[in-house]
Each structure stands twice: as structure tokens, then as C-alpha cells.
């Protein structure tokens, strides 16, 4: 009897857990171009410590125009920034008003002298991005994420953003949401501090990303749990296989009866719109989809392309060609890319179809079809 009452109490506590919602915005009239796909690939290579492809360096003048971003404030009184909520990195950074780079000058900049809650740190900071490194200094201040006020959050003020990767980005900075193990300089990521400061009831966050044709403008990032009204059925959970990125074992992937993967590693990355595949899978997909040397496909064949099936935790998660083919300026391009990894990176092409829960407390990740 006592055990039953204890279980009921736990279930009631879980049911009453407060969810904190952050609107995730999608750029209106967003059109993906080949230029910003190349810039995004360059950014991904840097984020995952992969060698840069020399051929793309001259083509990065467009924009790393990732589609989803949200609003935060830093300081007292609050200074506003748009950030990319990125489950593939672990640091928060925004441009500094001491930064002369074009990328800083075209975005909102943090002014430490205007904040009464600023605490100087002064330690140098560097992340490799694209054709150069983003450098700056660490600082400490109050960070507010849609009403969740994090005290004494350490973040980076970017004082130099070389290259052109971020010049026309629709966000000012990046808020990393991966594990603390990969945070530069060992800085505690903002979500860790939300948990440590008891700002959320449960150490869980989840993403709902609205895709083209959806009635929602952009989507939601939810802190403290998941909203079952935004997905169908139950979440399928798998354990995190290596804490760092949100990495897990994918049971299989297939297309037209061809095996693309068997017990392979995959990473859920909200900071990319693409899907990165290992070499053998990428080559087979290109053959099946009849992809040319520039990554393009014949638009007239898209409707007859196969469904790509991903099996995670015993559940099939299919991707239709309407999801994995990017239509841009009259051309059609495969969203599957190869960057020399032996693991998959599942970006917004996948997460947009499947509600994704990131459970830090139980070191697991869950997926379910969006409602």
C-alpha cells in the first residue's frame, strides 16, 4: 500500500511539473541557398573538429542562414540577443561591443559597462569556426531565457569574428545545449545552471520545430519536460552512448531495402539543418537518389524517391523525400552530406519531423512523430 501511494505521489509530481516555453522563430520567407549550405557545412566541420574543404572557402560570402533561433537577454538592465539554441555545442557566446569584425557590427553587441550585474573574468576564449577562429574573453552576468533567470552565467564575449560565416546570420550568437564535457574552458552550460539553480522542475528540455506548411510560425523549445500535445504516441528513448554531444546508437537505417547503417552512432544536432552520413551510406544514398556532383537531383523525380527509414530503439522513423530534399531557387538538393565522419548527424531535417526530448537527468534522448 505504501509503495502504491509513493508511486502515485511521484506520478502526480511529474504531471504537475512546470514547463517553460521559449518560442523558436523561423525566418519568414526563408529560402535555403547553395551558398549558405556551404557555409553551414564549413561551420559543422569546425564544430566537429573536421578538416575544412578547401574548395568552399571562396563561396562563403552568402550567409550561414540557419532557420531556427530564439531570444534571450543578458545583463541588468537586459540587453537583447537572438541565439541559435544548439544541441551540438556547449558554450554561450554573443558579440562584444569591443569587436570590430563585420559579423559583430551587423549584430547586437554586449556592453559590459552598461550592466550592473556584470562580473569580469578576463580569461581568453576561442572556438574554431569556418575559415578562422572566433575569439574573445569570458564574462559573467545574468542571463534570462524567456523568464528563466540564470544568475552568474559565464559566457563569451566575441571580440573577433574573422571570415564571413556569421556576417548575415539571422542570429547574434549561439547558446550551446550539449554536455558539459565538451564545453570550451570547462564553462558550465546555461541549462546545467538552470538545473543547479532549481529553475526547472526536471533536468529535461525538448524541441518542437515547425516545418514548411505548418500552422506554427517556428516552434518551441521547452525547458523542464515535454508537451505530449505536440507529438503523436509515446516517445521512444535510447541511452546516450557517449556524453559530450547528444550521441546515441541507431539500430539501423535503410532505403529501398538497402542497409545504410547497422548499430551505428548518431548525434541529434539542432544547430544544423542537414543530415550528415558516413561514407558508405552517403555514396549509396547518392546512387539511389541519382545525386549529381553538386549535390543536386532532378526535381521531377522527387515524388518517386524512396522513404529513408531510421530505426531507433526498435521504432521506425521514416523520412519522406519532401523532408530530405531541399528546394531552392528552382533547384532540388539532397540534404544528405558527407564530411568524413563515421557517425550520423541528424539535424533539423530529422528533428523537424520528430519531436525530440533531451533528458539530461537520465542521460537519454527520446523521439516521437510531431502531432
Amino acid at each position: 500500500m505504501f509503495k502504491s501511494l509513493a508511486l502515485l505521489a511521484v506520478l502526480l509530481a511529474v504531471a504537475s511539473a512546470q514547463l517553460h516555453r521559449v518560442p523558436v522563430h523561423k525566418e519568414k520567407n526563408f529560402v535555403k541557398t547553395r551558398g549558405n549550405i556551404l557555409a553551414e557545412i564549413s561551420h559543422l566541420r569546425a564544430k566537429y573538429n573536421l578538416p575544412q574543404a578547401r574548395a568552399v572557402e571562396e563561396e562563403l560570402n552568402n550567409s550561414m542562414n540557419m532557420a531556427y533561433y530564439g531570444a534571450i537577454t543578458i545583463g541588468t538592465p537586459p540587453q537583447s540577443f537572438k541565439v541559435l539554441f544548439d544541441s551540438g555545442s556547449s558554450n554561450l557566446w554573443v558579440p562584444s561591443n569591443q569587436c570590430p569584425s563585420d559579423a559583430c557590427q551587423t549584430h547586437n553587441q554586449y556592453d559590459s559597462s552598461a550592466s550592473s550585474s556584470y562580473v569580469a573574468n578576463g580569461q581568453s576564449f576561442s572556438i574554431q569556426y569556418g575559415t578562422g577562429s572566433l575569439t574573445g574573453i569570458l564574462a559573467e552576468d545574468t542571463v534570462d531565457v524567456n523568464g528563466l533567470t540564470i544568475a552568474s552565467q559565464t559566457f563569451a564575449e566575441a571580440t573577433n569574428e574573422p571570415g564571413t560565416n556569421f556576417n548575415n546570420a539571422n542570429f547574434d550568437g549561439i547558446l550551446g545545449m550539449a554536455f558539459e564535457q565538451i564545453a570550451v574552458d570547462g564553462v558550465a552550460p546555461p541549462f546545467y545552471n538552470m538545473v543547479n539553480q532549481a529553475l526547472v522542475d526536471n533536468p529535461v528540455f525538448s524541441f518542437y520545430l515547425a516545418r514548411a506548411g505548418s500552422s506554427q510560425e517556428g516552434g518551441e523549445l521547452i525547458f523542464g519536460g515535454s508537451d505530449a500535445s505536440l507529438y503523436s504516441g509515446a516517445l521512444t528513448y535510447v541511452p546516450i552512448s557517449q556524453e559530450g554531444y547528444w550521441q546515441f546508437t541507431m539500430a539501423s537505417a535503410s532505403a529501398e531495402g538497402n542497409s545504410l547503417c547497422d548499430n551505428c552512432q548518431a548525434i541529434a544536432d539542432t544547430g544544423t539543418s542537414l543530415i550528415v552520413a558516413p561514407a558508405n551510406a552517403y555514396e549509396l544514398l547518392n546512387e539511389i537518389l541519382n545525386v549529381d556532383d553538386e549535390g543536386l537531383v532532378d526535381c521531377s523525380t522527387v515524388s518517386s524517391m524512396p522513404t529513408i527509414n531510421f530505426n531507433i530503439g526498435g521504432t521506425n522513423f521514416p523520412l519522406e523525400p519532401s523532408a530530405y530534399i531541399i528546394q531552392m531557387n528552382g533547384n532540388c538538393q539532397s540534404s544528405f552530406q558527407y564530411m568524413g565522419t563515421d557517425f550520423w548527424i541528424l539535424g533539423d531535417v530529422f528533428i523537424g519531423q520528430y519531436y525530440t526530448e533531451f533528458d539530461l537527468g537520465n542521460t537519454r534522448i527520446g523521439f516521437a512523430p510531431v502531432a
Side-chain angles (χ1 to χ4, degrees):
M1 180 67 177
F2 176 77
K3 187 178 293 185
S4 297
L5 289 173
L7 177 60
L8 178 61
V10 170
L11 292 174
L12 289 172
V14 171
S16 63
Q18 186 175 2
L19 302 180
H20 303 269
R21 301 172 187 271
V22 179
V24 179
H25 305 287
K26 182 168 59 177
E27 192 75 8
K28 291 183 178 180
N29 304 316
F30 178 79
V31 177
K32 181 73 81 173
T33 68
R34 180 155 178 78
N36 56 49
I37 288 175
L38 290 172
E40 187 175 344
I41 291 171
S42 179
H43 169 72
L44 280 176
R45 287 183 179 278
K47 184 162 72 170
Y48 289 96
N49 297 314
L50 302 170
Q52 290 293 324
R54 296 179 183 176
V56 304
E57 292 186 8
E58 296 300 319
E59 302 182 61
L60 299 183
N61 295 319
N62 241 327
S63 166
M64 202 185 72
N65 221 9
M66 297 181 189
Y68 298 96
Y69 55 89
I72 68 169
T73 65
I74 302 176
T76 308
Q79 301 175 39
S80 297
F81 300 92
K82 295 175 182 177
V83 294
L84 179 73
F85 292 106
D86 180 18
S87 66
S89 66
S90 298
N91 288 84
L92 168 61
W93 65 264
V94 294
S96 168
N97 68 337
Q98 302 300 312
C99 175
S101 305
D102 289 343
C104 295
Q105 296 298 313
T106 55
H107 290 89
N108 292 334
Q109 301 162 49
Y110 172 73
D111 182 358
S112 61
S113 66
S115 174
S116 62
S117 49
Y118 163 74
V119 176
N121 179 296
Q123 181 178 337
S124 62
F125 175 88
S126 177
I127 292 182
Q128 188 71 30
Y129 280 129
T131 57
S133 59
L134 181 153
T135 56
I137 56 172
L138 294 181
E140 184 181 299
D141 209 333
T142 299
V143 173
D144 186 279
V145 185
N146 204 37
L148 292 176
T149 303
I150 309 169
S152 305
Q153 174 64 49
T154 300
F155 66 99
E157 298 181 57
T159 56
N160 186 28
E161 294 185 33
T164 58
N165 279 15
F166 293 105
N167 282 18
N168 300 309
N170 49 21
F171 50 87
D172 303 307
I174 292 177
L175 191 153
M177 305 188 72
F179 287 85
E180 188 173 22
Q181 286 89 329
I182 63 169
V184 175
D185 296 326
V187 173
F191 186 64
Y192 277 69
N193 282 333
M194 286 185 188
V195 173
N196 293 335
Q197 296 175 26
L199 301 180
V200 293
D201 290 341
N202 295 308
V204 175
F205 62 90
S206 53
F207 276 87
Y208 165 73
L209 301 181
R211 305 304 280 174
S214 169
S215 59
Q216 287 244 5
E217 186 65 30
E220 285 185 329
L221 162 58
I222 297 175
F223 291 104
S226 293
D227 183 349
S229 71
L230 295 175
Y231 60 85
S232 300
L235 289 159
T236 296
Y237 290 102
V238 288
I240 296 304
S241 55
Q242 182 174 327
E243 293 182 24
Y245 302 109
W246 285 92
Q247 183 174 333
F248 58 94
T249 300
M250 184 161 62
S252 65
S254 61
E256 289 189 330
N258 297 289
S259 175
L260 300 170
C261 151
D262 183 26
N263 286 326
C264 48
Q265 293 298 295
I267 292 168
D269 185 354
T270 60
T272 177
S273 62
L274 307 172
I275 294 182
V276 176
N280 290 342
Y282 175 73
E283 291 170 4
L284 183 54
L285 280 167
N286 279 359
E287 182 179 335
I288 292 171
L289 304 179
N290 197 23
V291 179
D292 68 18
D293 292 340
E294 294 187 351
L296 301 178
V297 299
D298 183 346
C299 291
S300 67
T301 67
V302 172
S303 61
S304 61
M305 287 181 177
T307 298
I308 312 298
N309 287 300
F310 297 90
N311 187 288
I312 300 170
T315 301
N316 282 324
F317 295 90
L319 271 190
E320 302 293 331
S322 58
Y324 65 74
I325 295 298
I326 301 168
Q327 306 224 7
M328 52 182 188
N329 300 327
N331 293 317
C332 293
Q333 177 166 345
S334 168
S335 64
F336 295 102
Q337 302 290 328
Y338 173 64
M339 299 193 310
T341 67
D342 58 359
F343 52 85
W344 294 72
I345 302 173
L346 305 181
D348 298 343
V349 168
F350 183 86
I351 296 171
Q353 305 299 315
Y354 296 105
Y355 189 101
T356 304
E357 179 185 279
F358 300 81
D359 186 343
L360 182 66
N362 293 303
T363 55
R364 65 180 183 174
I365 191 166
F367 303 96
V370 296

